[in-house]
Amino acid sequence: MTSDRRFADMLHHRAERLGRGDPIVPPLVSATTYHLPGLENAAFKYGRMAMPTWEEVEEQLAILEGAPVVGFPSGMAAIAAALFCTCKAGCEVILPSDGYYTTRLLTDQFLAPLGVKVRLIATADMDLADFSGASVVFVETPSNPGLDCCDLALAARKAHAVGAKLIVDNTTMTALLQRPLDLGADLVVAADTKAPAGHSDVLYGHVAGRDVALMARVAEWRKLSGSVPGAFEAWLLHRGLETLEVRLARMCASAQTIAQRLALHPRIKALRYPGLPADRAHAIAKRQMSGFGFLLTFELEGEAEAEDFLSRCAYVTQTTSFGGTHSAGERRARWGDAVAPGFIRFSVGVEPVEVLWAAMGKALGR
Ligand SMILES: *Cc1c(COP(=O)(O)O)cnc(C)c1O
């Protein structure tokens, strides 16, 4: 994870532009209007078209992605942009049946009525699935919440062989741990709300891609639909991104330790963590990810036992979402995910691992 220069380059992305006396970190500019005696050569014209603080974040993300980036006010806004820019009436889109459920709700409620056909395939079945007939293939790996994985290079080859575009939701990994564009994806979408912002106080998302015409369409979608991020959120994300690599290093290492110990605990069933050699996603995870992430899932006996564990475990916030500094646990069945009542999605935070494990062990009973 630390072997490449992208993160260092991201930290110093403003260096070459800095004049004497300039602030090292970007100022927060929330102006909607800009001095415009003529339209020519104006870097900024109107806030819905471009804002200085978004561009600072897009520059950071573009370095991490190795591709141009368009920022959005949430992960779902980025997903909506990617889908509305690639789907049209009569086309078929393949979605993971076990991925982030809001993506399925969006397509069911807003794309299907416009004549888009939706085909659902489980993430673990993507590698063997036939993509014939699809115009857009959307995958999420590891999937949220089940943490199944699919082969991104294979998905890109199969999608392109039938003339489809591949969109990858890279939220659970971030650009530091998985590089879908290098593996052939046409677009990456991600919720920067999670680990990139990292402090549970910003909604943000982005689309990245190397297809110039497609990315121009994504930028046009933002301008015309008005799905624009706020300057303050951009500024907070810029700050969060500066520590992404150190937070991920801690979180992934702790998740590996905790997963290994949970695997030996008699009360834990159906443990999933791609970093465990026994996990069914381990082989593909090892090939295409440069870290195994900070999410793990497991089951306790039932709803009552899972809620009891979550309420008694110190240092674990009972909340939805993931990727923040605080460890967080949630029973996903409460949102209607197709999982067992005692299924918990656990996001490992930056607490020192032995302190966190002691609390978990105590709440589980040794
Ligand atoms: C959270 C999440 C999203 C949506 O992000 P928001 O910022 O909440 O809109 C999309 N995909 C995945 C995999 C997520 O976990």
Side-chain angles (χ1 to χ4, degrees):
M1 182 158 98
T2 47
S3 60
D4 68 58
R5 287 179 39 191
R6 282 177 300 144
F7 192 71
D9 289 344
M10 187 209 81
L11 283 173
H12 294 274
H13 77 104
R14 281 168 57 80
E16 276 175 19
R17 284 186 275 132
L18 289 180
R20 201 167 295 212
D22 278 351
I24 299 299
V25 295
L28 197 174
V29 180
S30 65
T32 55
T33 49
Y34 296 82
H35 182 57
L36 208 59
L39 289 178
E40 308 75 36
N41 303 322
F44 299 98
K45 296 180 177 127
Y46 178 56
R48 182 162 35 72
M49 299 173 177
M51 278 204 191
T53 314
W54 305 346
E55 294 200 348
E56 296 285 350
V57 176
E58 284 172 353
E59 206 171 284
Q60 284 179 309
L61 291 169
I63 292 168
L64 297 186
E65 294 283 5
V69 163
V70 178
F72 284 93
S74 67
M76 280 316 302
I79 290 170
L83 289 173
F84 276 86
C85 289
T86 51
C87 291
K88 58 178 188 234
C91 88
E92 182 180 87
V93 54
I94 290 176
L95 290 183
S97 58
D98 52 347
Y100 189 64
Y101 76 116
T102 314
T103 304
R104 292 194 297 283
L105 295 182
L106 174 73
T107 50
D108 284 352
Q109 293 179 26
F110 292 94
L111 282 172
L114 299 177
V116 173
K117 280 178 282 190
V118 182
R119 176 148 58 112
L120 299 180
I121 298 176
T123 299
D125 296 338
M126 287 286 179
D127 293 353
L128 292 177
D130 178 2
F131 292 168
S132 307
S135 304
V136 177
V137 178
F138 186 107
V139 300
E140 188 181 306
T141 173
S143 60
N144 170 21
L147 304 183
D148 267 322
C149 294
C150 63
D151 184 328
L152 288 172
L154 178 63
R157 280 201 302 279
K158 289 198 300 174
H160 296 157
V162 300
K165 299 261 186 238
L166 178 68
I167 304 174
V168 178
D169 185 335
N170 203 30
T171 300
T172 52
M173 283 285 100
T174 84
L176 284 180
L177 300 181
Q178 182 165 262
R179 320 257 311 134
L181 296 172
D182 288 353
L183 298 172
D186 298 285
L187 291 178
V188 159
V189 294
D192 298 304
T193 308
K194 313 288 169 58
H199 294 73
S200 312
D201 54 9
V202 187
L203 283 161
Y204 218 90
H206 73 267
V207 178
R210 293 172 184 155
D211 178 330
V212 175
L214 188 51
M215 287 304 287
R217 198 165 151 74
V218 171
E220 192 72 357
W221 166 269
R222 177 174 70 180
K223 184 172 85 184
L224 301 184
S225 71
S227 182
V228 292
F232 183 57
E233 284 72 16
W235 186 81
L236 278 175
L237 175 57
H238 190 282
R239 182 185 170 113
L241 281 168
E242 297 220 328
T243 54
L244 176 61
E245 204 253 7
V246 278
R247 284 183 286 110
L248 282 179
R250 164 71 73 96
M251 288 154 68
C252 293
S254 297
Q256 183 77 38
T257 301
I258 286 171
Q260 282 165 1
R261 294 180 187 176
L262 286 176
L264 302 174
H265 198 286
R267 284 188 65 202
I268 300 295
K269 288 183 298 179
L271 175 68
R272 295 297 308 270
Y273 182 66
L276 292 175
D279 192 276
R280 67 172 181 268
H282 183 68
I284 180 60
K286 209 171 148 188
R287 234 181 315 142
Q288 72 187 11
M289 290 150 47
S290 51
F292 296 113
F294 48 83
L295 285 174
L296 45 93
T297 65
F298 55 88
E299 289 176 23
L300 287 173
E301 298 81 354
E303 173 175 345
E305 290 83 357
E307 291 293 352
D308 178 64
F309 164 71
L310 290 171
S311 65
R312 290 197 304 118
C313 192
Y315 308 123
V316 173
T317 52
Q318 283 186 272
T319 182
T320 193
S321 199
F322 56 79
T325 50
H326 307 89
S327 287
E330 177 178 43
R331 223 173 43 77
R332 286 301 300 180
R334 70 181 186 173
W335 293 99
D337 282 351
V339 293
F343 174 101
I344 290 174
R345 184 185 65 200
F346 198 92
S347 175
V348 178
V350 300
E351 300 86 357
V353 67
E354 293 305 339
V355 177
L356 178 61
W357 173 249
M360 292 178 74
K362 190 168 170 217
L364 283 171
R366 296 269 173 201

